């Protein structure tokens, strides 16, 4: 049985991709802001982590859908 959100996901795959990537970037932000007690990271290294995470998320937007599908 297909629910309404599954039908929406099939009809609008790009929107679903963007939502998943936004959640991934939120995880990157949280991972870069929380440090352990003995960690001495500077604000510059935090910025680099966010920049690299942002670049990775943008790269996911540009990747072709079903990249591993074999072409007949």
């Amino acid at each position: 049985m297909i629910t309404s959100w599954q039908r929406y996901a099939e009809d609008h795959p790009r929107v679903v991709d963007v939502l998943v990537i936004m959640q991934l970037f939120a995880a990157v932000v949280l991972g870069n802001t929380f440090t352990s007690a003995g960690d001495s990271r500077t604000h510059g290294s935090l910025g680099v982590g966010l920049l690299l995470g942002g670049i990775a998320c943008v790269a996911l937007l540009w990747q072709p859908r079903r990249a591993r599908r074999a072409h007949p």
Side-chain angles (χ1 to χ4, degrees):
M1 183 168 130
I2 295 179
T3 61
S4 62
W5 66 268
Q6 288 171 325
R7 185 171 297 121
Y8 183 83
E10 289 177 1
D11 293 341
H12 306 286
R14 195 68 173 166
V15 173
V16 175
D17 288 346
V18 169
L19 290 174
V20 169
I21 291 170
M22 287 173 56
Q23 291 176 346
L24 177 64
F25 187 70
V28 167
V29 169
L30 287 175
N32 275 302
T33 55
F34 292 120
T35 60
S36 61
D39 196 2
S40 62
R41 293 181 1 187
T42 63
H43 291 293
S45 66
L46 292 175
V48 170
L50 290 176
L51 178 67
L52 291 176
I55 291 170
C57 289
V58 169
L60 286 174
L61 282 174
W62 284 337
Q63 63 91 21
R65 295 193 57 79
R66 297 180 191 88
R68 296 180 186 252
R69 183 178 68 185
H71 295 288

